[in-house]
Amino acid sequence: MVCGGSYEAIYSDLHCYGSIQDILLIPGQPFAVVVFENMDSSAAAANYLSNNVPSFSKDPVFPSFIERAPSISANTCSNLFDDSNLPQGLKLIKDAINEHEETVLAQLIMWGDPEESKALRQREVRHFGYAFDYSLQGVQKDAPLSESVPDECVPFLERLVAAGHLNRLPDQLTVTRYLPGQGIPPHVDSHESFDDDIVLLSLGSPVVMNFRHPDGRQVARVLPPRSVLILSADSRYVWSHGIASRKFDVVPRSNGSNNGITLSQRGIRISYTFRHIRKGSCRCGSALLCDSHRFGNQDNASALRLETEHVYKVYENIAEQFSDTRYKQWPMVAEFLDSLEQGSLLLDAGCGNGKYLTHHGKLIKLGFDRSQRFCDICQHRGLEVLQADTLQMPFRKDVFDACISIAVLHHLSTVERRQAAVHEILRVLRHNGRALVYVWALEQNSPGGDEKDAPSKYLNPNKAAAVDCSGPVESLESAPLPVHCNRTQFQARDMLVPWHSKSTQETHYRYYHLFQQGELRELLESVAPGCIETEYHDQGNWCAVIVKKGSAGDEASIAR
């Protein structure tokens, strides 16, 4: 059927018509295949879809019968849970603790008490040994906490060591409480911060954890109550892991058999994540995946040198050619601009060739860019622009009704500099002013199968993913940044993307930080908690609309 939607949404709408054996979603394609147990069930579902708009689609869907599902097994729901596809080093131990131990650990922390736990938007957390920094996916090694891993955890950890599952006791613990509908974005815990073997103990409700390889492969694992999941080798260092924010999971109806799929309702779940702090630096040697060599860990002076060489100077050299390829407004950005009231004062922060400063005549528009060549192009078009830096906007506070930052933040190479740019956007907005932020996504195809998401036009399905680290790019630090192979899936979060000049035959390398799912939210919330109005994935970008809250002239709501 031609539609959008996730496994869970499709199953929820159609399972009442019969036993669903499987669901096939094809990334980047607006259709799905639902496999029923028999023809009568399939016909009943098709009849419903022909006469109704289902909840998983904003538009009518067009069902049709096929004799067999396309042979894209990696994207079937049942194949996600196939044990033969699990990442190397992933180990699930069921009933790792008994019911009494589960009760003791579940009651160890007073949830909801600000003295006991820290509330994040998606969950409540408590740290022991070292505080986990979600912007780094790691810890500050020189800042241990006064409270170590609780004694109540030691007996079961010692059993894991005695059984050979661990070679030492962990010294860092993060305890997280998830309510139904809450999750955690896909991530890889810092190589630099933690040794091998990360232990996840699940209490309470079962949940599905999703794993994604940089090449796009996906698998899933059901985590039962009282189970332990151990991440080591590739499952620890290469594959990201996360939990989708939803209240139901689609799971195999019977483990180890081919009896179809069903929905599992989530309850309250508590997760104990144990890690061991790495002494020294990671020596895995992966320039692609290891954050020991990530440019995001550099100081501000090094970051400025990197951005000057691989952002500012590059765009100064390619401005005219780049402008010739950037002439069409993205529909969702244009929709945001059209939603603004007549006479609104709009700032385009990092306007490039000014394509969003044209049209939308009801707005008063001003743009700036660090590149003088881009400013020259805009001024030649009669647009109001000036040369400026997104980290130091030359405007007083509380001026603009709206701001757009399209494809800008991903050119800043540290968390602190990206936070500073967000702070500047909020500073110049008036009270209740709105800003739209777009950043390039590590996940070019929407992980959630959102039917509203325009598919990425960047990927070339006929081009194999590859990375060339041997290009003529001198390192600014101890290791080179990987060079991306254009039109393929991204293989790392910090990369150099080539631009081949047709006129000079030169190759220029632009720095990008690719945002993984949830990272833009974490960034925005770290600057101004509660500022996000809406967020979405669009054409290979993570996007968010934020609102400046607090009274006029009051910056108390913006974290510094």
Side-chain angles (χ1 to χ4, degrees):
M1 59 184 175
V2 179
C3 70
S6 64
Y7 295 118
E8 292 74 25
I10 293 173
Y11 184 95
S12 181
D13 249 24
L14 301 182
H15 77 280
C16 59
Y17 296 100
S19 176
I20 295 178
Q21 300 300 292
D22 213 342
I23 299 173
L24 169 65
L25 299 180
I26 302 177
Q29 299 297 324
F31 62 86
V33 177
V34 182
V35 182
F36 282 90
E37 187 175 36
N38 55 59
M39 184 64 72
D40 289 342
S41 298
S42 181
N47 181 64
Y48 161 73
L49 293 170
S50 297
N51 295 283
N52 300 275
V53 176
S55 63
F56 58 78
S57 176
K58 63 180 180 179
D59 300 309
V61 301
F62 304 96
S64 61
F65 289 99
I66 56 177
E67 291 186 4
R68 63 181 62 185
S71 58
I72 311 178
S73 60
N75 296 305
T76 62
C77 184
S78 60
N79 200 66
L80 288 174
F81 297 93
D82 188 338
D83 287 349
S84 65
N85 296 326
L86 292 178
Q88 178 192 18
L90 189 68
K91 184 186 302 182
L92 180 68
I93 304 172
K94 297 181 180 179
D95 296 316
I97 61 174
N98 59 42
E99 292 184 4
H100 173 70
E101 289 174 311
E102 181 182 32
T103 300
V104 170
L105 293 176
Q107 297 175 353
L108 189 61
I109 294 173
M110 298 292 293
W111 299 108
D113 185 342
E115 297 298 321
E116 286 282 322
S117 62
K118 176 183 177 182
L120 300 177
R121 180 184 182 275
Q122 285 288 315
R123 54 207 180 272
E124 277 188 280
V125 298
R126 175 79 183 276
H127 304 294
F128 297 88
Y130 295 80
F132 190 87
D133 186 331
Y134 290 91
S135 66
L136 300 175
Q137 295 301 332
V139 299
Q140 300 290 344
K141 295 182 183 180
D142 58 354
L145 301 175
S146 58
E147 290 185 280
S148 59
V149 175
D151 292 340
E152 290 85 347
C153 302
V154 173
F156 115 85
L157 292 172
E158 288 180 336
R159 293 200 298 269
L160 293 179
V161 173
H165 298 305
L166 299 177
N167 56 21
R168 64 173 73 86
L169 292 177
D171 55 7
Q172 193 276 334
L173 166 63
T174 297
V175 186
T176 309
R177 181 175 183 255
Y178 297 90
L179 299 178
Q182 294 180 335
I184 185 170
H187 63 282
V188 176
D189 287 358
S190 167
H191 292 206
E192 174 74 6
S193 294
F194 307 117
D195 279 321
D196 202 357
D197 298 334
I198 293 178
V199 177
L200 289 78
L201 172 65
S202 292
L203 312 177
S205 173
V207 74
V208 169
M209 178 166 281
N210 299 293
F211 300 84
R212 178 186 289 266
H213 192 276
D215 65 11
R217 284 178 287 158
Q218 298 183 61
V219 297
R221 206 71 163 106
V222 178
L223 307 185
R226 301 185 297 281
S227 68
V228 159
L229 188 72
I230 299 178
L231 307 180
S232 63
D234 282 1
S235 68
R236 153 77 176 98
Y237 292 110
V238 179
W239 293 67
S240 68
H241 61 280
I243 297 172
S245 299
R246 57 194 180 214
K247 295 184 178 181
F248 293 87
D249 288 313
V250 172
V251 298
R253 184 172 285 114
S254 176
N255 288 334
S257 64
N258 189 26
N259 291 331
I261 55 179
T262 187
L263 277 183
S264 172
Q265 185 172 5
R266 291 187 189 175
I268 295 175
R269 173 178 175 268
I270 297 175
S271 170
Y272 276 61
T273 302
F274 298 91
R275 310 174 180 92
H276 190 273
I277 303 302
R278 184 182 297 280
K279 309 303 180 185
S281 295
C282 178
R283 299 184 180 276
C284 71
S286 173
L288 288 175
L289 303 168
C290 185
D291 62 343
S292 292
H293 309 300
R294 185 176 296 164
F295 279 79
N297 292 334
Q298 65 195 326
D299 59 35
N300 193 63
S302 299
L304 182 58
R305 288 197 300 272
L306 169 64
E307 293 161 20
T308 298
E309 189 69 28
H310 290 289
V311 181
Y312 171 66
K313 287 185 179 180
V314 171
Y315 281 114
E316 284 292 273
N317 282 315
I318 69 172
E320 286 77 12
Q321 296 179 52
F322 186 86
S323 178
D324 290 341
T325 66
R326 302 299 192 273
Y327 51 85
K328 186 177 181 180
Q329 296 187 356
W330 287 341
M332 295 293 285
V333 180
E335 182 178 311
F336 172 80
L337 297 177
D338 288 338
S339 72
L340 302 176
E341 295 182 2
Q342 184 169 352
S344 294
L345 181 58
L346 169 72
L347 175 66
D348 188 345
C351 62
N353 68 353
K355 70 176 183 179
Y356 292 111
L357 296 174
T358 60
H359 309 300
H360 311 287
K362 68 176 184 177
L363 305 177
I364 303 171
K365 295 160 289 190
L366 177 65
F368 73 82
D369 202 280
R370 189 181 173 193
S371 167
Q372 183 60 53
R373 300 284 288 276
F374 275 140
C375 291
D376 292 342
I377 291 171
C378 291
Q379 289 168 354
H380 181 72
R381 295 178 173 179
L383 304 175
E384 294 289 339
V385 300
L386 68 156
Q387 186 179 24
D389 191 328
T390 192
L391 297 177
Q392 294 178 311
M393 298 184 191
F395 312 110
R396 60 181 175 83
K397 65 181 182 180
D398 306 324
V399 174
F400 295 94
D401 298 295
C403 176
I404 57 174
S405 173
I406 310 300
V408 175
L409 296 185
H410 55 220
H411 286 311
L412 300 173
S413 57
T414 68
V415 173
E416 293 76 15
R417 290 170 70 81
R418 294 189 283 271
Q419 288 174 326
V422 174
H423 185 277
E424 279 292 272
I425 290 171
L426 289 167
R427 181 184 66 81
V428 301
L429 282 176
R430 64 167 177 78
H431 172 55
N432 286 332
R434 300 163 71 226
L436 174 63
V437 179
Y438 266 57
V439 293
W440 218 359
L442 182 67
E443 306 88 351
Q444 280 296 286
N445 291 313
S446 175
D450 185 357
E451 68 274 8
K452 299 179 182 179
D453 176 27
S456 171
K457 298 179 181 179
Y458 178 74
L459 298 179
N460 181 349
N462 299 318
K463 198 169 185 180
V467 176
D468 176 17
C469 292
S470 60
V473 183
E474 293 186 3
S475 170
L476 300 181
E477 294 288 332
S478 59
L481 279 171
V483 177
H484 177 57
C485 181
N486 281 326
R487 302 296 175 182
T488 67
Q489 288 281 2
F490 293 113
Q491 303 293 302
R493 291 173 62 193
D494 292 274
M495 305 190 79
L496 296 176
V497 177
W499 177 278
H500 304 291
S501 172
K502 294 181 180 179
S503 59
T504 66
Q505 301 303 309
E506 292 181 284
T507 299
H508 303 276
Y509 297 90
R510 295 170 292 160
Y511 167 79
Y512 283 88
H513 173 78
L514 285 307
F515 280 69
Q516 65 182 8
Q517 185 179 10
E519 186 179 355
L520 178 59
R521 162 170 287 280
E522 296 282 357
L523 172 68
L524 299 173
E525 291 280 348
S526 72
V527 177
C531 68
I532 298 176
E533 178 181 281
T534 185
E535 55 186 325
Y536 55 94
H537 187 279
D538 179 40
Q539 301 190 67
N541 298 278
W542 290 114
C543 322
V545 176
I546 59 177
V547 180
K548 181 175 180 177
K549 298 183 178 180
S551 59
D554 177 18
E555 296 190 23
S557 62
I558 303 176
R560 290 185 178 274

